[in-house]
Amino acid sequence: MLKLSQVLTRSFGLLAQHPLGIVWLLIQALLVSVFTLGLLAGPMQVGVYTVLMRYARTGEWRPEALWGNTTGHNIAAGIVFVASAVAAFVVGLPFTVPDAALASVLSFVGLFAINLLWFYTFQIMVDDDQVWPNAMRKGWDLMQQGGLGNHLLLIAILESLVLVSTLSTWIPFQTAMYLLLLGFSTVARAVAYVQLVPTRAFEP
């Protein structure tokens, strides 16, 4: 069963040890994803979790593992992931759904569903070198084994924390807070996975 308090405490401890390293890791992944129009988003996600899962399991910090994960099925996973996120974002735009309240609800539900479906997908692709549909299916099974309610609560907490960064109107502070909270959220996803799969990958 997933232990939320341990996930959050462990994630904070790991972030505190390498705050700039984790933020820089995410900045590199975000920049590459944006400048390739999402084409390399999958390899970057796999790279990020390769670094963070090793860090969570062994304490070893090897940021160079971000690179060298460009494979066909990683690229395909990234394209599907980005397309899903864009679709959820577009649903929330005024010209798509004129009613602002309904648009916000649809956008939130869409983003929450994406978080739910992809919560462990890239971690499993790191551990087991799976194509994304198989990894997504195994991720869903793992979430049920760890307690679906606990995962729903964890997703809600992590998404709420990232939204906190938007409360500031000073752009430099807002950006710094966003990156730090995004770093915490990403580390927490790695830690949650490692808590449930501490030493081994899934069987083929």
Side-chain angles (χ1 to χ4, degrees):
M1 186 66 68
L2 188 72
K3 298 178 177 63
L4 286 181
S5 61
Q6 290 182 13
V7 170
L8 297 174
T9 303
R10 173 73 170 148
S11 300
F12 180 79
L14 292 174
L15 179 63
Q17 290 178 50
H18 287 283
L20 295 180
I22 290 171
V23 167
W24 177 233
L25 187 78
L26 294 180
I27 288 173
Q28 292 176 84
L30 287 168
L31 288 176
V32 171
S33 299
V34 169
F35 285 125
T36 60
L37 301 179
L39 185 64
L40 294 183
M44 288 295 99
Q45 287 288 319
V46 170
V48 164
Y49 284 112
T50 298
V51 175
L52 294 181
M53 284 162 57
R54 178 184 287 127
Y55 181 40
R57 278 179 173 146
T58 69
E60 184 181 7
W61 178 249
R62 291 184 55 190
E64 66 274 12
L66 173 67
W67 309 100
N69 302 290
T70 305
T71 65
H73 60 266
N74 288 351
I75 290 174
I79 291 171
V80 175
F81 176 72
V82 170
S84 302
V86 169
F89 174 76
V90 169
V91 165
L93 295 177
F95 67 81
T96 307
V97 181
D99 186 287
L102 178 59
S104 297
V105 169
L106 289 175
S107 182
F108 176 81
V109 170
L111 290 172
F112 199 92
I114 291 168
N115 272 291
L116 192 63
L117 290 172
W118 290 88
F119 195 77
Y120 288 134
T121 300
F122 289 110
Q123 295 93 309
I124 292 169
M125 291 176 71
V126 171
D127 244 8
D128 203 22
D129 195 30
Q130 289 283 327
V131 296
W132 70 267
N134 292 344
M136 187 177 287
R137 175 177 53 80
K138 289 186 174 183
W140 178 251
D141 291 342
L142 185 60
M143 291 179 77
Q144 291 180 306
Q145 292 169 25
L148 186 58
N150 285 348
H151 281 90
L152 292 172
L153 181 56
L154 179 58
I155 291 171
I157 291 170
L158 296 179
E159 290 307 303
S160 297
L161 284 175
V162 173
L163 288 175
V164 167
S165 65
T166 64
L167 298 178
S168 171
T169 57
W170 189 42
I171 299 301
F173 180 76
Q174 186 183 90
T175 302
M177 285 298 296
Y178 173 77
L179 289 171
L180 277 173
L181 292 171
L182 180 62
F184 177 80
S185 176
T186 309
V187 170
R189 293 163 196 266
V191 169
Y193 175 80
V194 167
Q195 187 185 103
L196 297 176
V197 188
T199 59
R200 67 178 180 85
F202 286 94
E203 296 297 330

